[in-house]
Amino acid sequence: MATVSVKCPVVWLILWICVRLSETENNRVSMDDDVLLPYTDGHGPSHSHRHVRDCQPIIHGNTTHERWAASKHGGLPVAESTVFISKQGSSRWVYGHMTVVHDPLRTVSVLEPGGPGGCGMNQRATVVETAEAAGCLYAQNAGFFNTKTDQCLGNVVSDGRMVQDSGGVQNAQFGIRRDGTLVFGYLSQDDVSSNQTNPFVQLVSGVVWLLRNGEVYINESLEAECNKTQETGHFRKFVDVVSARTAVGHDADGKLILFHIDGQTERRGMSLWEVADFLKSYGVINAINLDGGGSSTYVADGSLASYPSDHCDMDDRWRCARRVSTILCVHPRRCRPTNCSGHGDCVDGRCRCHEGWQGAACDSLLCQPPACGAHGVCTARGCACDAGWRGESCNQECLPGFHGDGCNRTCGCVNGTSCDPVHGRCACPPGFHGDTCERGIVPRHTTQHTVVCPLGFFGPSCTQECRCDDQCSCDPQTGSCNATLRGESNDTLHRAGRCLATQMFREQPHLTERTWLAITFTLASLLSVSLLVHLAQACCGSAAAAARLPKRRDYSYVPLNDINRAGAGAGRSEKGGFGPDDLDSEEEIWTPSHSGRDPDVVQARSRTRTRLCPVMPESRGLVTACEASCDWPSHSPNRLARGDVTAPISCSELHNNNKRRSSRRGERGGGNGPKTQSCDSR
């Protein structure tokens, strides 16, 4: 435990020291104390491009910049860097780097600080940071920047992308056009922003055109670019003062020259005059000056290779590299686009196209329309023919028995049927159907096992429906309704009908034997109970009726129609007796209107007999229950005629009257008088 407790503090101490050392290394910030600016306020002269053109020597005419074809030397190495020490004057030595780039178009780029978007965000980064992120072999600082806002100054075009333009400010420019032309000098606004001519793929602004066509051009630059004084003095002092310098130029072969020397303003380094002479002595044709002073930095293989002039912020005994604006980066050859349009491999900056592709960017097919005609399209492997077509130019249909893309699929049709060359569908002859025409009529001279078209259909592929009466089947080939089905078809119908019938009967609900017995027993029980109830009600009703009736008397039913007629005849008789002859008529019914007598007597008529029931004078209503016994007050027609409605008549009297009436009818020849019954029969 003691050993572990001792080791833990040691480990934490080592970690803390490592973190502090890492923070110290990352926090080495330049104090920006070696400032060398050409202008004290703003950047660049205020005059126009026309002023520059008018002030230049007549020998140059109206051209304010120089073009030179860039070297396109392939192979390795991409660039060569040389360290030099040169004596300037009697006792001053300078230390610097000169880098020769053999293929500027494909190996040199202008990069924004920290990567794409750095100028737009007004940020700065050291040359090491930007170069390491971009994989630069060699790099040095390039354009100027605003020391107060960190804004990039001048024109900036990076790998063909316009980052910003200077708005026509006339300072010395360096650029590379798309065709590989190197450009040095002064450019108008149209030269920078016009895309109709060959645009720039790389462009950066400097100050002072050092060499023009192999001659020192500083004095002309002073007149063209001078505007105001700068922080280290007048514009001329910016040119004359010794300091760290950075420049870019080219030689007669079109190779790009990157120049850098260490120094410190007014103490060591070179003036622009000395830089121009030095470059001229090394065969440089055109060159411009870039940002210098504390910004002058050179990086090789991602490491700082120069001695900065700015002091470090944390310890002024050390020198730190300054965060700068744009840089010039020398990188391995790159293809444009870097992935060769996805159809090639980038080898030493050149796209090696895959099979079927061509062009510098491998973006064009070898096969070009209309090579494939109307039935194919061009691909990397040549013509891709539509389904059903073949040949190098897709101008031939598939052979019989084949179909599909490339005519590689075999038709599966039988019975000598051909298929569609595009989709492979079988074109069945009349009487055959199915995906492969395997179903159809069996020829009599063959034994092939097939079946006819589905019942009710005929014709090619069995797609036409029969139009026979009663939905009868037709001939599967011709569609004729005068056709006799073959034995196999009849068997098919028989089996289908039997199956359908079986299913229909199975679907109907049925009851078991036990269920039927239960239902029968229940119904019998209900009938028995109903019979018993009716018998009980009949017995009870008879007893109650007997209890309500008075002493039994004989009575008989008298046809009331006869009584009515008798009453009518009594009106014509003097004695008021019954008129038997008049009682045979069933058409005339006695009513109060016929008698002209008491309206209190009303008629109750039934289908066979009609009874007259007495009604009390005060009620004057219809008697609906004329089913009382015979000892009701009966009404003799004579009595009714006299209005004596309350005089009773006995049952015996009624019986005698019925006998007399029957005998009289017999005498008249009828003998079919109404039958009589005793009073005790209802």
Side-chain angles (χ1 to χ4, degrees), residues 334-341 344-346 351:
R334 296 175 180 173
C335 298
R336 290 189 177 88
T338 56
N339 65 342
C340 297
S341 303
D345 300 321
C346 185
C351 290

Side-chain angles (χ1 to χ4, degrees), residues 170-193:
Q170 294 303 300
N171 286 118
Q173 311 285 324
F174 159 68
I176 304 176
R177 291 185 177 271
R178 194 174 298 275
D179 61 357
T181 302
L182 303 177
V183 178
F184 291 85
Y186 302 111
L187 302 173
S188 66
Q189 182 69 14
D190 293 338
D191 294 332
V192 175
S193 59

Side-chain angles (χ1 to χ4, degrees), residues 414-418 426-433 437 439 453 459-462 476:
V414 297
N415 296 319
T417 304
S418 62
C426 297
C428 299
F432 292 88
H433 70 102
C437 301
R439 300 177 181 179
C453 289
S461 299
C462 300

Side-chain angles (χ1 to χ4, degrees), residues 229-450:
T229 59
Q230 71 282 11
E231 294 180 15
T232 56
H234 295 84
F235 189 73
R236 181 170 289 276
K237 185 177 181 180
F238 171 79
V239 175
D240 296 339
V241 68
V242 294
S243 183
R245 301 289 185 175
T246 304
V248 61
H250 72 87
D251 60 10
D253 296 330
K255 298 177 182 178
L256 194 66
I257 308 298
L258 303 183
F259 177 81
H260 160 268
I261 60 167
D262 290 331
Q264 188 172 2
T265 303
E266 295 185 344
R267 296 184 59 180
R268 51 190 174 86
M270 285 185 179
S271 67
L272 293 184
W273 299 99
E274 293 172 338
V275 172
D277 291 336
F278 185 87
L279 292 175
K280 182 179 178 181
S281 64
Y282 276 87
V284 176
I285 306 300
N286 290 288
I288 66 168
N289 175 65
L290 301 174
D291 192 10
S295 299
S296 184
T297 309
Y298 185 80
V299 173
D301 294 328
S303 300
L304 182 64
S306 61
Y307 186 74
S309 59
D310 281 348
H311 293 87
C312 294
D313 189 16
M314 297 184 62
D315 190 348
D316 59 3
R317 295 176 301 175
W318 300 89
R319 302 299 175 104
C320 292
R322 177 184 296 179
R323 290 188 172 93
V324 298
S325 179
T326 55
I327 70 170
L328 286 175
C329 171
V330 180
H331 51 74
R333 290 182 178 87
R334 296 175 180 173
C335 298
R336 290 189 177 88
T338 56
N339 65 342
C340 297
S341 303
H343 307 301
D345 300 321
C346 185
V347 179
D348 193 23
R350 296 184 183 275
C351 290
R352 182 174 297 173
C353 299
H354 297 159
E355 181 181 359
W357 294 91
Q358 62 183 351
C362 299
D363 55 354
S364 177
L365 287 170
L366 288 174
C367 174
Q368 294 294 326
C372 299
H375 304 291
V377 294
C378 288
T379 65
R381 297 183 178 181
C383 292
C385 299
D386 297 337
W389 296 88
R390 62 188 179 87
E392 294 183 359
S393 301
C394 302
N395 56 355
Q396 301 177 20
E397 289 188 352
C398 293
L399 294 173
F402 296 90
H403 70 96
D405 295 334
C407 299
N408 294 324
R409 303 184 64 180
T410 304
C411 297
C413 305
V414 297
N415 296 319
T417 304
S418 62
C419 69
D420 179 77
V422 177
H423 305 288
R425 289 192 292 264
C426 297
C428 299
F432 292 88
H433 70 102
D435 294 339
T436 59
C437 301
E438 76 280 6
R439 300 177 181 179
I441 296 297
V442 182
R444 296 184 177 181
H445 59 279
T446 63
T447 59
Q448 183 180 359
H449 180 71
T450 57

Side-chain angles (χ1 to χ4, degrees), residues 632-645:
W632 270 38
S634 300
H635 316 109
S636 171
N638 295 330
R639 294 176 182 177
L640 292 174
R642 294 194 302 269
D644 187 5
V645 298

Side-chain angles (χ1 to χ4, degrees), residues 70 72 103-108 176-180 201 336:
K72 297 182 180 180
D103 190 1
L105 177 62
R106 294 187 293 164
T107 60
V108 175
I176 304 176
R177 291 185 177 271
R178 194 174 298 275
D179 61 357
V201 293
R336 290 189 177 88

